[in-house]
Amino acid sequence: MAVSLRFRDLLIRRLMAPTPRGLSLSLRPMSSNAPEEAPKEAPDHSYESLRVTAAQKHILHVQLNRPEKRNAINKACWRELVECFNKIAQDPDCRAVVISGAGKLFTSGIDLMDMASEILQPQGDDVARISWQLRNLISRCQESFNVIEKCPKPVIAAIHGACIGAGVDLITACDIRYCAQDTFFQVKEVDIGLAADLGTLQRLPKVIGNQSLVNELAFTSRKMMADEALGSGLVSRVFPNKEDMLEAAFTLAEEISTKSPVAVQSTKVNLIYSRNHSVAESLNYMATWNMSMLQTQDVVKSVQAALEKKDLKSVNFSKL
């Protein structure tokens, strides 16, 4: 306790001290993170439609892994996304996730051939029972993307080629989005006779903050190219190709992984809460949250590293 109080006193004095003229803070560029060796399969992650590898220390790489089917999302994928991200949420070694698509594109959306019988010929003796079955189906599919948002570990979407239909539902549930120059995005549902029902209409307006543009994309199903996605705020960076994009995504994930997991995961939880609540409610939630989180030893360790001018990479934060 005495040590904690001493470091907190040092922190207060440091924060209150005037900044010398000409002193600026900058982030040094991280070293290249493209894995030189084939990444190892992550333990306890064996799936039909996904491939999960331990890309680097504290970082998992989740790939939509049906390249022969343009990564169309089938029944197995709906089920396995829930299983995968529930496991990641409870994995104390994981601090950041990169999700991408194997092959030529990110995803072509729902596998209509695989889902046709459940959508077009639902079981039930009457309208009420058929409707009940369809509602359960929609809710289960929604949960496949909700788990990404609810996972406390930051999830970075690395998108290339095409991101169509359910792919837009997926990436809007992620925390950060990068894409390659060849990428286009398409809210495709109106072209198959339905309204998008897995998150795009709910999350996309809050992601890009432009209701008119959301309406245009959703009503027409026109393609949004990479530069427009960058300008609208759907993605934060665009890269010349898939390889450069993945390297940047892993660099970002590595930087996130060096921070206190208590701080990072608390930040994600409160950012999502604040999106859906008023400022007053969110501040109250934040105060209640941090009245316990401020007591973490991560604060002491981070301040000590700053005072000693050490990189956070050298700090050994406990698992969470």
Side-chain angles (χ1 to χ4, degrees):
M1 180 60 71
V3 172
S4 297
L5 291 173
R6 181 164 59 87
F7 280 121
R8 289 180 186 182
D9 288 341
L10 286 171
L11 173 61
I12 292 170
R13 289 200 295 271
R14 174 61 63 91
L15 293 175
M16 294 180 66
T19 303
R21 294 185 64 182
L23 178 64
S24 62
L25 298 177
S26 62
L27 290 175
R28 292 182 290 105
M30 307 285 287
S31 58
S32 173
N33 297 287
E36 295 180 359
E37 300 178 358
K40 298 179 180 178
E41 298 289 333
D44 300 323
H45 286 282
S46 178
Y47 307 109
E48 295 176 32
S49 65
L50 304 175
R51 182 170 183 250
V52 182
T53 53
Q56 299 172 40
K57 184 179 180 181
H58 300 312
I59 300 169
L60 290 178
H61 183 196
V62 178
Q63 286 181 288
L64 304 177
N65 194 33
R66 301 183 73 215
E68 73 287 352
K69 296 292 185 179
R70 302 171 73 223
N71 292 328
I73 301 174
N74 62 356
K75 294 174 187 175
C77 191
W78 295 116
R79 180 182 67 253
E80 291 173 348
L81 279 168
V82 174
E83 180 183 351
C84 175
F85 277 92
N86 279 335
K87 285 182 178 179
I88 290 173
Q90 299 300 319
D91 183 352
D93 285 319
C94 179
R95 296 184 184 177
V97 182
V98 174
I99 184 166
S100 68
K104 295 182 178 180
L105 50 79
F106 184 73
T107 178
S108 58
I110 292 176
D111 188 333
L112 290 173
M113 298 301 293
D114 183 72
M115 300 287 291
S117 61
E118 291 191 70
I119 295 173
L120 301 178
Q121 296 177 320
Q123 300 298 308
D125 294 334
D126 56 25
V127 171
R129 287 168 176 80
I130 291 173
S131 299
W132 198 266
Q133 291 300 318
L134 282 173
R135 190 181 194 282
N136 286 339
L137 171 64
I138 295 166
S139 296
R140 289 198 307 271
C141 292
Q142 288 175 345
E143 186 61 16
S144 298
F145 301 145
N146 289 343
V147 290
I148 298 174
E149 183 175 87
K150 290 188 288 187
C151 176
K153 320 300 170 69
V155 181
I156 303 163
I159 311 147
H160 76 290
C163 180
I164 301 170
V168 180
D169 296 303
L170 189 161
I171 65 164
T172 53
C174 297
D175 302 295
I176 299 167
R177 289 163 291 277
Y178 283 179
C179 78
Q181 189 67 56
D182 68 350
T183 309
F184 71 85
F185 303 85
Q186 192 171 21
V187 184
K188 186 69 172 172
E189 283 80 356
V190 293
D191 280 351
I192 57 173
L194 55 88
D197 54 5
L198 303 181
T200 290
L201 302 186
Q202 293 71 35
R203 294 188 176 102
L204 186 58
K206 295 180 179 180
V207 169
I208 68 175
N210 185 332
Q211 189 67 53
S212 177
L213 179 57
V214 171
N215 293 349
E216 179 187 335
L217 295 170
F219 294 158
T220 67
S221 78
R222 75 163 176 84
K223 295 178 180 179
M224 172 187 271
M225 308 310 290
D227 289 339
E228 185 181 5
L230 178 63
S232 70
L234 178 57
V235 300
S236 49
R237 296 183 68 184
V238 176
F239 297 87
N241 52 58
K242 180 182 179 181
E243 292 72 24
D244 289 348
M245 174 195 61
L246 283 172
E247 182 176 349
F250 287 124
T251 297
L252 177 62
E254 182 190 23
E255 184 174 351
I256 292 170
S257 73
T258 66
K259 316 297 184 185
S260 157
V262 171
V264 171
Q265 293 179 41
S266 294
T267 297
K268 176 170 178 175
V269 168
N270 280 276
L271 282 170
I272 292 173
Y273 185 92
S274 296
R275 182 194 66 191
N276 301 324
H277 295 80
S278 70
V279 172
E281 290 171 324
S282 301
L283 286 171
N284 183 62
Y285 187 82
M286 186 77 250
T288 303
W289 184 276
N290 257 8
M291 72 183 188
S292 55
M293 294 300 111
L294 282 174
Q295 300 180 64
T296 176
Q297 284 298 305
D298 290 14
V299 173
V300 177
K301 292 178 179 180
S302 298
V303 171
Q304 184 175 6
L307 294 175
E308 296 177 358
K309 295 181 171 56
K310 291 182 178 179
D311 195 307
L312 279 179
K313 286 183 179 180
S314 67
V315 179
N316 183 25
F317 293 114
S318 300
K319 296 180 179 181
L320 180 64

